């Protein structure tokens, strides 16, 4: 526990005076070298070593079995979850397996409606989204009276919802960007008879991924909301966050985008590529890592110490990203919500606050 917290706090302290002042989005300031944390002697380089002690890594279980007979993306199953919700089973050539998505239907289904895609954090489960749980994200409760299709992605554990260059022994085959941007939208649009307008949102790893997918696919998403994320991949801070995300579940970052000095680390960096978000409503939120209203009376060391350190790091990340957007004169709504740690309670509170921004993006305001 102490080692994880120390790594996260070192990240916060070393990045605390960074600024986003370069025209190309690179960071200047005293980021310093994080080589000792990442297991590499180079500042911000990424290797196979873990930034999370093995004793604290989560076990994702065996990778899903792959199939060679899936040649076309298709919805192959449907299960009713409630009057508002269904679970669809999708055959994905990109992922070479069947995956599920949960869908919240619009309150009024008499006309085509827009679609909001929602991503989970690092521990994303294969057959369910944390956003669906009343005790976590409580999306069903919030969207009950909204005229929007909400597609909650299942799976993607520690993947950054990206296309990996290599299959990982622990995390399996990850071609999530292809699935999310090339396969799933067409299926959803046809199945739900949408109006073709999309936005995307996510928490933690899903926050980084939502912004990443939006900047890499600007024609697909009209707006984005991100709660407690980090948004760079090619500077020391971003590389450490990526390494921590992947290795927290036992994955190997060298299977992601291979050469950390190669073009993929730059092309996935939302700070460097912020210009691609111009014209889109953007909502960001983060707490400061100190115990907040949901920690009153808590003695949960992991939540207080590790969750606090991680949220402190994402606070730095958010400020860097905000500075870059403002440098480019790209409007952004940011809620620095005060005390709070890296936990679902705060993301559940943020969803209604983000809705005006998302509603604007979806043409609902």
């Amino acid at each position: 526990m102490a080692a994880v917290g120390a790594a996260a706090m070192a990240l916060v302290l070393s990045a605390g005076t960074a600024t986003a002042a370069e025209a190309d989005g690179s960071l200047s300031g005293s980021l310093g070298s994080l080589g000792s944390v990442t297991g590499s002697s180079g500042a911000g380089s990424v290797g196979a070593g873990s930034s999370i002690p093995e004793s604290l890594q989560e076990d994702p279980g065996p990778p899903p079995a792959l199939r060679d007979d899936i040649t076309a993306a298709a919805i192959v199953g449907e299960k009713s979850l409630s009057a508002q919700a269904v679970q669809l089973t999708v055959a994905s050539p990109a992922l070479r397996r069947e995956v599920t998505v949960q869908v919240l239907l619009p309150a009024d289904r008499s006309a085509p409606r827009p679609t909001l895609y929602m991503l989970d954090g690092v521990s994303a489960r294969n057959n369910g989204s944390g956003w669906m749980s009343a005790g976590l994200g409580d999306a069903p409760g919030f969207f009950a009276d909204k005229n929007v299709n909400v597609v909650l992605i299942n799976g993607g554990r520690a993947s950054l919802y990206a296309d990996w260059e290599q299959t990982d022994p622990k995390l399996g085959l990850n071609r999530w960007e292809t699935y999310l941007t090339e396969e799933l939208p067409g299926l959803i649009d046809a199945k739900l008879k949408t109006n073709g307008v999309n936005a995307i949102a996510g928490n933690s790893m899903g926050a980084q991924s939502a912004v990443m997918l939006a900047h890499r696919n600007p024609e697909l998403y009209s707006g984005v909301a991100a709660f407690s994320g980090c948004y760079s991949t090619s500077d020391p801070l971003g590389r450490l966050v990526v390494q921590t995300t992947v290795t927290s579940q036992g994955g190997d970052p060298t299977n992601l985008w291979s050469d950390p000095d190669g073009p993929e680390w730059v092309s996935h960096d939302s700070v460097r590529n912020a210009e691609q978000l111009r014209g889109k409503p953007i909502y960001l939120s983060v707490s400061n890592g100190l115990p907040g209203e949901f920690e009153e009376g808590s003695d949960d060391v992991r939540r207080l110490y590790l969750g606090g350190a991680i949220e402190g790091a994402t606070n730095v990340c958010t400020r860097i990203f905000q500075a870059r957007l403002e440098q480019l004169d790209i409007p952004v709504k940011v809620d620095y919500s005060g005390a709070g740690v890296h936990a679902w309670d705060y993301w559940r509170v943020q969803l209604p606050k983000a809705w005006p921004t998302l509603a604007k993006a979806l043409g609902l305001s």
Side-chain angles (χ1 to χ4, degrees):
M1 184 68 63
V4 179
M9 288 310 296
L11 183 156
V12 175
L13 294 173
S14 62
T17 58
T19 60
E22 300 296 330
D24 65 352
S26 61
L27 301 179
S28 63
S30 57
L31 279 172
S33 172
L34 296 175
S36 61
V37 180
T38 62
S40 169
S41 59
S45 62
V46 177
S50 176
S51 52
I52 297 291
E54 186 174 355
S55 62
L56 295 177
Q57 296 174 20
E58 295 183 21
D59 184 1
L66 302 180
R67 291 170 47 182
D68 294 325
D69 61 327
I70 299 176
T71 57
I75 294 174
V76 296
E78 180 176 347
K79 175 184 177 182
S80 176
L81 301 177
S82 69
Q84 181 195 12
V86 297
Q87 184 178 65
L88 303 177
T89 301
V90 179
S92 166
L95 296 173
R96 292 178 56 197
R97 62 184 186 268
E98 292 182 357
V99 291
T100 59
V101 296
Q102 292 158 302
V103 178
L104 299 174
L105 301 171
D108 179 355
R109 302 165 206 170
S110 63
R113 303 298 184 188
T115 305
L116 173 64
Y117 290 85
M118 297 195 74
L119 306 178
D120 268 292
V122 70
S123 300
R125 295 173 296 156
N126 283 330
N127 294 302
S129 167
W131 287 107
M132 286 290 288
S133 170
L136 298 177
D138 194 26
F142 177 73
F143 288 108
D145 63 347
K146 308 295 189 297
N147 286 321
V148 60
N149 302 287
V150 184
V151 178
L152 304 117
I153 304 305
N154 299 170
R157 192 180 188 107
S159 68
L160 281 86
Y161 294 102
D163 284 1
W164 289 40
E165 294 187 359
Q166 303 291 333
T167 299
D168 189 83
K170 291 289 287 185
L171 300 176
L173 173 67
N174 291 300
R175 301 285 295 173
W176 285 95
E177 182 172 0
T178 296
Y179 165 68
L180 289 171
T181 63
E182 298 180 19
E183 296 179 350
L184 187 60
L187 298 176
I188 291 295
D189 289 346
K191 175 69 175 177
L192 303 181
K193 297 180 172 59
T194 77
N195 66 6
V197 178
N198 306 305
I200 191 167
N203 60 294
S204 192
M205 179 193 77
Q208 176 173 13
S209 302
V211 175
M212 183 188 301
L213 289 168
H215 95 243
R216 288 173 57 80
N217 302 273
E219 74 292 341
L220 181 59
Y221 304 108
S222 59
V224 60
F227 316 125
S228 302
C230 280
Y231 307 102
S232 61
T233 56
S234 62
D235 60 76
L237 174 61
R239 292 182 179 190
L240 176 57
V241 169
V242 170
Q243 180 150 355
T244 299
T245 297
V246 173
T247 62
S248 72
Q249 309 295 309
D252 183 347
T254 61
N255 291 320
L256 178 54
W257 302 313
S258 65
D259 180 6
D261 294 319
E264 292 302 314
W265 288 86
V266 173
S267 70
H268 287 81
D269 190 317
S270 296
V271 176
R272 287 183 177 271
N273 294 282
E275 178 62 38
Q276 299 304 311
L277 298 170
R278 186 175 299 280
K280 302 181 188 300
I282 304 168
Y283 183 92
L284 308 175
S285 74
V286 69
S287 300
N288 61 18
L290 299 176
E293 60 177 307
F294 296 106
E295 285 70 60
E296 291 183 8
S298 174
D299 60 358
D300 185 338
V301 175
R302 186 179 184 90
R303 180 184 179 104
L304 294 170
Y305 189 63
L306 180 57
I310 293 173
E311 193 69 3
T314 60
N315 189 290
V316 173
C317 294
T318 301
R319 293 181 186 277
I320 291 171
F321 189 40
Q322 179 189 11
R324 178 58 176 158
L325 291 168
E326 291 180 347
Q327 179 191 51
L328 294 173
D329 198 25
I330 296 175
V332 57
K333 170 67 175 176
V334 187
D335 183 6
Y336 292 105
S337 53
V341 300
H342 203 71
W344 274 103
D345 298 291
Y346 298 97
W347 305 324
R348 183 174 62 249
V349 170
Q350 280 297 327
L351 181 56
K353 294 182 178 181
W355 179 242
T357 301
L358 290 170
K360 179 180 179 181
L362 293 165
L364 294 175
S365 63

